[in-house]
Amino acid sequence: MAALRKTFRINKKDFIHAGEASISVKNLLKSLHVDTKLIRCVSVCGYEGEMNVVMHGGEGILSVEIDREKVILEISDDGPGIENIDLAMQEGFSTATEEQREMGFGAGMGLPNMKRNSDHMTVESEKEKGTQIRMSFSMADEKGE
Amino acid sequence: MKLSEIIDVLDASIWVGEDQLDKEFSIAGAADLMSDILAKLAEGCIFMTGLVTVQSIRTAAVSGVGAVVFVRDKKPPPEIIEMAREEEIPLLSTPCSMFVSCGRLHASGLTGLDGSR
Ligand SMILES: Nc1ncnc2c1ncn2[C@@H]1O[C@H](COP(=O)(O)OP(=O)(O)O)[C@@H](O)[C@H]1O
Ligand SMILES: [Mg+2]
C-alpha cells in the first residue's frame, strides 16, 4: 500500500474545534482496520498535541502519514515556541492559565503522555518561530503480540 | 455490569446509547482533569465528570472510553449530545454528586481504571 497522507489545519486559540483533526485521524485509522490499541495511542497523541497548539501555540497543522509499517504524526505551529524543551517534557510542568485549567487542561501531562504513547518522538522549537513535533508508531509492534 | 444497570444504580437519564443498553462495563474513572483520562488506560471505562464540554467527549473518543456520565444533574447541550452520538459513546446524566456516583458504582462492583477496588 502506498503511503496515505492527510493534513488538517488547527486554528489558533480555537478551543471549541480543537481535537477535530485527531478524531478524523482516529476514524480514518478505524476505517483502515488498524489495531485498536494503536488507534488509541495515535489519537491520544494527536489530541494532546492539538490541545497544546490551541492552548500554547499559534496557527497549526496536523498531518498523518500511514503506510504498511507505521503511522507518522506531525504537529506544527507558528506560535511562541517552547522555551526549555527538557523542562516542558517533565510531568507536571505547565504554563497553562487558570482559565485553561478550569476547562480540564494544563496538568503538564501532555508532552510526557505523547512520549509514552509513541515509539519515537522528536520536539523542535524556536523562540517566536514555533514548534514541530513528530511522532512515529510502529504497526508491527502491535501485531507481533 | 450492563449499561442498563448503571442507569438504574445512578438514577440516570440517557441522552445517547439506547441501542447499547447491554454493553458491559467493569472499570470506572472520575475526573474533571482531562489528562487523568488521557494518560491512563481508560479503554471501555465509565468516565464520570462534572465538566460538560465538547472536550470531555473528544477526550472520551480518543481514549476509547465506553460511556460518559455527567454528574450533579448537568444536562448536555445539543451539540455535545450530537457529538457523543456521532462517536457512538453512551451519554448519561445523574443527579448524584461525583462522590455518591463513585460510591454507588464501587458498591456495585466496578473497579478503578487500574483494576483496584
Ligand atoms: N505548541 C506549543 N507551543 C508553545 N509551548 C508549548 C507547546 N506545547 C507545549 N508547550 C509548553 O510545554 C508545556 C508542557 O506541555 P504539556 O506537557 O502538554 O502540559 P500542559 O499542556 O498541560 O501545560 C506547556 O505548558 C507549554 O509551556
Ligand atoms: Mg498539553
Side-chain angles (χ1 to χ4, degrees), chain B residues 59-71:
Chain B
T59 294
V62 297
S63 307
V65 158
V68 175
V69 179
F70 292 133
V71 299

Side-chain angles (χ1 to χ4, degrees), chain A:
Chain A
M1 147 174 109
L4 173 64
R5 192 182 161 90
K6 284 214 166 202
T7 299
F8 305 85
R9 285 193 55 159
I10 307 167
N11 295 318
K12 189 174 177 171
K13 309 269 182 225
D14 188 355
F15 192 83
I16 294 294
H17 296 281
E20 282 181 353
S22 302
I23 300 276
S24 299
V25 168
K26 173 183 73 79
N27 291 331
L28 173 65
L29 292 172
K30 214 167 164 182
S31 73
L32 296 171
H33 305 289
V34 169
D35 174 80
T36 325
K37 186 170 161 232
L38 183 59
I39 296 179
R40 194 184 65 235
C41 289
V42 173
S43 43
V44 164
C45 287
Y47 183 67
E48 293 273 23
E50 258 188 277
M51 292 314 297
N52 277 356
V53 169
V54 167
M55 292 197 303
H56 318 293
E59 295 292 344
I61 285 177
L62 180 148
S63 73
V64 61
E65 200 179 294
I66 306 157
D67 65 24
R68 207 183 281 279
E69 280 94 44
K70 62 191 177 311
V71 178
I72 308 269
L73 256 190
E74 281 178 315
I75 301 164
S76 57
D77 70 80
D78 67 0
I82 302 176
E83 184 123 17
N84 181 337
I85 294 175
D86 289 338
L87 189 61
M89 290 299 300
Q90 286 180 18
E91 287 196 2
F93 176 83
S94 177
T95 58
T97 62
E98 195 53 45
E99 196 187 353
Q100 290 166 343
R101 285 170 213 268
E102 275 166 21
M103 299 303 283
F105 294 88
M109 302 295 283
L111 290 171
N113 199 24
M114 288 154 80
K115 171 114 188 141
R116 200 166 37 238
N117 277 295
S118 56
D119 291 314
H120 188 71
M121 169 164 144
T122 56
V123 182
E124 284 171 48
S125 191
E126 199 178 332
K127 216 165 173 227
E128 306 309 330
K129 289 261 171 67
T131 303
Q132 296 90 43
I133 296 182
R134 187 174 193 273
M135 289 165 282
S136 65
F137 308 80
S138 155
M139 299 259 190
D141 243 39
E142 309 298 321
K143 286 200 190 112
E145 287 168 10

